[in-house]
Amino acid sequence: MTGAQGSKFDLTRRGFLKAGAVSAMGLAAAGSMTGCSGWLGSTASEAAEEKTVYTLHQFMCTGRCSLKCTVRDGRLAMIQPNDTVDEYYRHVCMKGISEIQHVYSDERLQTPMRRVGERGSNEFEAITWDEALATIGEELNKAWDKYGKSSVYMSASNEPRFSFLPALLGCATGVEPGIDRGTGNGEAPAIGGDVFGGGTAESRDWVNTKTLVIAGTNLLETSMMQANTFMDAKEAGCEIIVLDPHFSTTASKADQWIPIQPGCDAAFYLGMMTYILDNKLYDEKFVLEHTSLPFLMNAETGEMLREGKEWGVDEETGEPVDPGDFMVWDATVGKAVPYSSAILTAALEGEFDVDGVKATTAFSNLKKNQARYTTEWAAGVTGIDAATIEEVARKYATNGPAYLVFGQGGSDKYSNPDIIGHAGMVLTALTGNIGKPGSGIGHTIGGAGYGVALGEWKLPEQFKPAELDVRADRFPTRENDVHVIISLGNTFQQYWANMNKTREWIDSLDFIVHIGMYYEDTVKYADIVLPVCSKFEDTVEHSIVRSDYNHVNLQTKCIDPLFDSKPDFDVMRLIAESVGLGEYLPKDAEELVRYQIENSKDLADQGITFDALIKNHGSIKMANTDEPRRGYTDLKFKTPTERMEVYYQSQAEVGQGWPNWEENNEAYAGNPLAEKYPLQFTQTRTRFSNHSHFKAAAWLQQFVKPVLELNPKDMESRGIADGDLIEAFNDRGSFKCVARANNAVRPGSSRTFEAGWSKFIEEGNTQNVTNDHVNERDEYLPTGAPIPFNDTLIEVKKA
């Protein structure tokens, strides 16, 4: 940076800190409390010093790109793909390129701040780090003394590196439940897999797929860096079928677009299941050998029959261990026996007397349960004709390897996505579409490729996070012990629906800390605000190591932290020190990175060292990754029986032992509320941002300023023209923004981009209208019920 620029920064900062003594200073009047426009001077006229830095992109973006950054005259000047990696992985999208404007955004927080007005008033004063940390330490100790350790909750996102803090503080935490895991709730129990519903195979394997069904995700926008795997599959002859209420970018490139009714994916799959069963399109050998469908169950109670072995206890976790002692009917000897002693001789269908108990196979019980879910029934629910449902079912079951792709940010934001995941698992079990090339199920965000286990820095045993009886997204409506929130990023905007109700809860809290990079929605509710810097800024040379997309990548510092911001690792350590616990952490992020690398057996086996990563421009492709990752190739699943256990007995009492259709809470045909609020409201993802991230670049704001997209027919009937200011409203609240006509939006629906900052909207907040309904079966799901953001009805009028 030139001398002139350095002087300008010093003057601005000194003047700003002096002005910080003025209380009740709102951000509009704060001047240098945010932004770069008053800080950066012009570049020097002489030739600038230039260097190239290779680094990685941040966690929140699913592209996981390795980047080549040009630093000129001390400034981040250009971002390109890392040109030293394999060409197949040499990519970057507009989010990555625009990181320059995120780093130098006028939305940047420059200094710690303290609230001086009412919550939500945007009235803050600048303070020093010492003042901020002293206040945080005092407030934490005050809450612990008054309420106990469980009174503090750390509201996390994927991006900040605060992983040690919850255990040190003894507080509860989580990447918020209720979002991005709805379908995973239904998938995970069958195979003991990822509760986020991660793909069982890598998307590169789609070149071997014959039928690819993509539902609930606009893959080519939300996971742009996987476009090559999508196009490779298409070129290889894979037939791609997209289920989406709206005509998405992904639908436009598919072989078939099925414009399903919003929130009705599960009904479509239930219709497919019945067609496959009725026409015997299932793989009987796979079903007998690798699923729980031959297992016997009490025909009257739905309880699975067992040998009666005693359940054990896991010595490490203390959790009960299921012995998996299920029974089958051995057709050769005519009696019930342990499933493992009669595999191909087990009866798949029938009713039997087992010691006076009327028993039936799970398969027969499934067929009985499915009788009501005909393709004609599914057509009535989904709006898709029965012939189309049958055609997709036939292709999926018989046209070679098939893959069901469930996305995040779409169908999982209704009240019933666990049924989608469960039905998908039954389809997979019936057809054997798992464990072999080209087959699989689940989302493939980030490619779902190979990874390695890094060394784990362990804290002493006395440090562990607290457990809460109430999930974070239920805090506004259920009694709980939380009185202090540490918010990492824009969590209030992203993770809570029905904002008017949420604000009432926020006002009831004793203390709120916001830790972030930008002046985003959550800031205005905080008592103390701490500014973190971008991942391109740091106090050490290397502070992150990560493995995904079949590579190990190292983060490298590009520039020093701007303003009075600090790297998030440093902030975590300072907070720990404020309560006397800093000694248990690495002294800095680079020490942690070195430890993770040096104590990783996986990396050692591949000869990947810290120095090797630096020498190789921050990225090394993992060994043995030329072939796509395929899970469960041995067809052994992470369940007690090592089979696909597709009957969920624990959920039978709430009607979900088998996947059974449930109407959405709000967006369903025949809801009387639709007479008052006839438009379904969707928050969808976009290539310009991810969740609430990447909103601060002027280059992108021209494309992603919050608008409400409507079908022209719906606009005409309401007297609304393209570009008009409109008000969207329901009984929960309202917001005002510009209306945009878009024929790709389904009639009867409306669409906006997810988690738009309210400062970029004309009035209000899109979350003012969203649904915060809680399912009764919440307690039976691995991660609890989803937040049904898209299960929302609104009306729109010209403002």
Side-chain angles (χ1 to χ4, degrees):
M1 198 170 283
T2 65
Q5 292 164 326
S7 298
K8 184 166 186 178
F9 171 64
D10 289 340
L11 273 173
T12 301
R13 184 176 171 210
R14 282 198 300 270
F16 169 61
L17 292 177
K18 183 178 179 181
V22 180
S23 65
M25 182 163 55
L27 260 293
S32 56
M33 289 176 79
T34 62
C36 286
S37 59
W39 177 73
L40 285 174
S42 58
T43 57
S45 58
E46 64 270 16
E49 181 182 351
E50 185 171 300
K51 67 177 180 178
T52 299
V53 179
Y54 293 91
T55 189
L56 55 79
H57 206 191
Q58 53 181 296
F59 298 149
M60 183 52 71
C61 181
T62 60
R64 275 86 167 181
C65 303
S66 182
L67 303 177
K68 174 184 178 181
C69 301
T70 300
V71 178
R72 186 177 300 126
D73 193 22
R75 299 182 189 179
L76 184 63
M78 182 166 60
I79 296 175
Q80 300 170 279
N82 185 341
D83 54 11
T84 67
V85 302
D86 187 292
E87 187 174 354
Y88 195 79
Y89 299 95
R90 194 179 301 169
H91 47 223
V92 66
C93 75
M94 62 192 74
K95 293 192 290 290
I97 293 170
S98 298
E99 286 283 39
I100 294 171
Q101 285 208 328
H102 289 116
V103 170
Y104 300 113
S105 170
D106 279 341
E107 303 300 330
R108 282 287 299 264
L109 294 168
Q110 288 191 358
T111 188
M113 301 188 299
R114 175 168 51 215
R115 178 173 63 83
V116 295
E118 296 294 322
R119 279 202 181 127
S121 66
N122 288 343
E123 294 178 338
F124 294 91
E125 64 178 358
I127 58 175
T128 65
W129 276 94
D130 287 344
E131 289 176 293
L133 291 163
T135 301
I136 291 170
E138 290 169 7
E139 292 292 338
L140 287 175
N141 280 297
K142 186 190 301 182
W144 292 338
D145 290 343
K146 187 175 181 180
Y147 309 110
K149 288 291 182 77
S150 62
S151 64
V152 179
Y153 182 81
M154 193 173 82
S155 178
S157 69
N158 283 339
E159 183 55 20
R161 293 163 293 163
F162 281 68
S163 57
F164 298 112
L165 199 57
L168 283 175
L169 299 182
C171 69
T173 189
V175 176
E176 301 304 343
I179 186 169
D180 282 356
R181 59 187 78 182
T183 53
N185 269 323
E187 292 177 55
I191 55 175
D194 178 10
V195 294
F196 283 91
T200 59
E202 185 180 352
S203 60
R204 279 191 302 156
D205 198 31
W206 290 347
V207 293
N208 298 303
T209 302
K210 296 303 181 184
T211 303
L212 182 65
V213 180
I214 301 176
T217 180
N218 187 4
L219 183 74
L220 294 185
E221 294 215 29
T222 62
S223 299
M224 292 178 68
M225 298 305 100
Q226 287 178 253
N228 51 356
T229 62
F230 179 98
M231 294 302 178
D232 287 348
K234 191 174 177 68
E235 186 175 341
C238 174
E239 183 171 0
I240 301 174
I241 301 168
V242 170
L243 275 66
D244 196 314
H246 311 287
F247 187 63
S248 65
T249 301
T250 309
S252 74
K253 306 302 180 188
D255 296 279
Q256 184 179 8
W257 168 48
I258 299 176
I260 192 169
Q261 185 78 18
C264 293
D265 297 20
F268 192 96
Y269 296 136
L270 288 170
M272 287 177 63
M273 286 164 55
T274 300
Y275 185 81
I276 289 170
L277 287 168
D278 288 350
N279 292 276
K280 297 186 177 181
L281 301 181
Y282 47 86
D283 183 339
E284 185 169 342
K285 186 174 185 296
F286 181 90
V287 168
L288 285 168
E289 291 183 351
H290 302 295
T291 80
S292 63
L293 290 168
F295 292 177
L296 292 172
M297 62 194 306
N298 187 311
E300 296 177 356
T301 67
E303 185 176 356
M304 303 296 286
L305 300 190
R306 293 176 177 267
E307 289 183 89
K309 291 181 181 177
E310 292 187 9
W311 285 38
V313 176
D314 187 292
E315 294 181 359
E316 292 186 5
T317 66
E319 295 293 322
V321 177
D322 187 340
D325 56 335
F326 298 100
M327 309 285 286
V328 297
W329 187 264
D330 189 335
T332 60
V333 297
K335 67 177 183 177
V337 299
Y339 74 92
S340 57
S341 64
I343 299 176
L344 293 180
T345 59
L348 187 56
E349 295 188 67
E351 291 189 352
F352 314 96
D353 183 286
V354 180
D355 298 329
V357 174
K358 183 181 178 182
T360 185
T361 66
F363 185 84
S364 290
N365 189 261
L366 171 64
K367 290 183 70 174
K368 180 180 178 180
N369 191 75
Q370 281 295 127
R372 56 188 143 164
Y373 300 129
T374 64
T375 54
E376 289 77 14
W377 167 87
V381 176
T382 64
I384 306 302
D385 62 88
T388 298
I389 299 171
E390 292 168 4
E391 179 188 19
V392 174
R394 186 166 52 252
K395 289 177 179 177
Y396 173 78
T398 65
N399 191 32
Y403 203 122
L404 282 179
V405 179
F406 298 148
Q408 296 181 339
S411 300
D412 60 321
K413 288 188 172 182
Y414 291 85
S415 300
N416 58 12
D418 56 303
I419 307 174
I420 298 174
H422 192 180
M425 275 299 175
V426 176
L427 283 170
T428 304
L430 287 172
T431 58
N433 273 306
I434 193 169
K436 57 188 179 185
S439 65
I441 184 173
H443 78 73
T444 57
I445 293 173
Y450 296 91
V452 298
L454 298 171
E456 181 183 0
W457 181 288
K458 292 188 176 181
L459 298 174
E461 289 185 4
Q462 70 263 33
F463 295 114
K464 59 182 180 180
E467 293 186 6
L468 292 175
D469 293 333
V470 178
R471 280 179 26 184
D473 54 295
R474 310 311 186 209
F475 289 164
T477 57
R478 292 186 183 177
E479 187 175 343
N480 61 84
D481 295 330
V482 171
H483 298 271
V484 173
I485 295 286
I486 301 173
S487 174
L488 308 182
N490 200 14
T491 55
F492 290 156
Q493 170 69 15
Q494 177 67 45
Y495 297 119
W496 275 273
N498 195 350
M499 274 302 295
N500 286 325
K501 186 186 293 183
T502 300
R503 289 186 193 99
E504 294 176 8
W505 161 69
I506 289 172
D507 287 340
S508 74
L509 294 169
D510 290 3
F511 188 64
I512 300 172
V513 179
H514 174 84
I515 305 172
M517 185 175 169
Y518 306 109
Y519 194 81
E520 48 205 354
D521 285 71
T522 303
V523 172
K524 60 188 174 186
Y525 303 113
D527 299 292
I528 293 292
V529 178
L530 300 180
V532 296
C533 56
S534 71
K535 297 300 182 289
F536 299 90
E537 307 158 56
D538 221 316
T539 53
V540 295
E541 287 302 307
H542 306 285
S543 61
I544 301 174
V545 61
R546 193 179 66 204
S547 72
D548 46 30
Y549 245 116
N550 308 315
H551 285 69
V552 179
N553 291 317
L554 186 66
Q555 188 266 354
T556 302
K557 170 184 172 180
C558 293
I559 58 176
D560 291 327
L562 298 179
F563 319 116
D564 207 10
S565 67
K566 296 181 184 294
D568 45 19
F569 184 92
D570 294 14
V571 176
M572 175 181 68
R573 201 179 199 293
L574 288 169
I575 292 175
E577 290 172 353
S578 76
V579 290
L581 298 172
E583 64 184 285
Y584 299 103
L585 295 176
K587 70 178 186 299
D588 57 38
E590 185 156 321
E591 181 184 3
L592 175 61
V593 166
R594 286 181 179 273
Y595 184 92
Q596 290 175 305
I597 294 173
E598 292 168 2
N599 291 274
S600 168
K601 183 179 183 304
D602 289 351
L603 292 182
D605 290 345
Q606 297 188 39
I608 298 176
T609 65
F610 183 84
D611 291 337
L613 280 165
I614 295 174
K615 183 178 180 181
N616 208 57
H617 301 297
S619 183
I620 296 178
K621 188 177 179 182
M622 299 175 204
N624 304 315
T625 60
D626 289 338
E627 277 291 305
R629 182 191 68 83
R630 300 183 185 102
Y632 308 106
T633 53
D634 59 358
L635 297 180
K636 294 184 183 299
F637 303 95
K638 298 174 183 178
T639 61
T641 62
E642 295 188 334
R643 293 185 175 212
M644 293 186 71
E645 298 183 8
V646 291
Y647 177 70
Y648 300 166
Q649 184 174 309
S650 64
Q651 297 182 36
E653 65 180 85
V654 289
Q656 292 299 331
W658 296 117
N660 284 307
W661 173 249
E662 286 184 7
E663 294 282 10
N664 286 300
N665 168 252
E666 193 162 298
Y668 64 90
N671 184 357
L673 187 64
E675 295 180 12
K676 187 177 181 182
Y677 303 119
L679 294 174
Q680 182 260 335
F681 176 68
T682 295
Q683 293 188 73
T684 189
R685 301 220 173 134
T686 166
R687 64 187 179 277
F688 302 111
S689 62
N690 187 278
H691 287 319
S692 185
H693 301 265
F694 306 107
K695 307 283 189 183
W699 291 340
L700 298 182
Q701 287 172 18
Q702 62 183 314
F703 301 110
V704 291
K705 186 179 185 299
V707 299
L708 190 67
E709 295 181 330
L710 297 159
N711 188 278
K713 293 181 180 178
D714 291 324
M715 295 177 69
E716 182 180 1
S717 66
R718 290 166 174 79
I720 298 171
D722 186 72
D724 280 351
L725 181 67
I726 55 97
E727 180 180 8
F729 59 95
N730 58 22
D731 291 338
R732 299 182 193 95
S734 67
F735 63 90
K736 292 180 181 179
C737 67
V738 170
R740 289 295 178 205
N742 190 343
N743 278 307
V745 175
R746 183 187 184 92
S749 296
S750 59
R751 186 173 73 175
T752 191
F753 292 146
E754 181 183 36
W757 293 5
S758 58
K759 67 170 54 185
F760 298 138
I761 201 170
E762 278 67 19
E763 184 179 311
N765 187 309
T766 54
Q767 296 287 39
N768 288 351
V769 302
T770 49
N771 192 354
D772 61 343
H773 168 73
V774 179
N775 281 330
E776 290 184 5
R777 63 179 186 279
D778 188 349
E779 307 302 327
Y780 294 86
L781 303 177
T783 63
I787 304 172
F789 294 99
N790 292 345
D791 189 5
T792 296
L793 294 180
I794 63 170
E795 179 56 295
V796 172
K797 65 181 180 181
K798 192 171 180 179

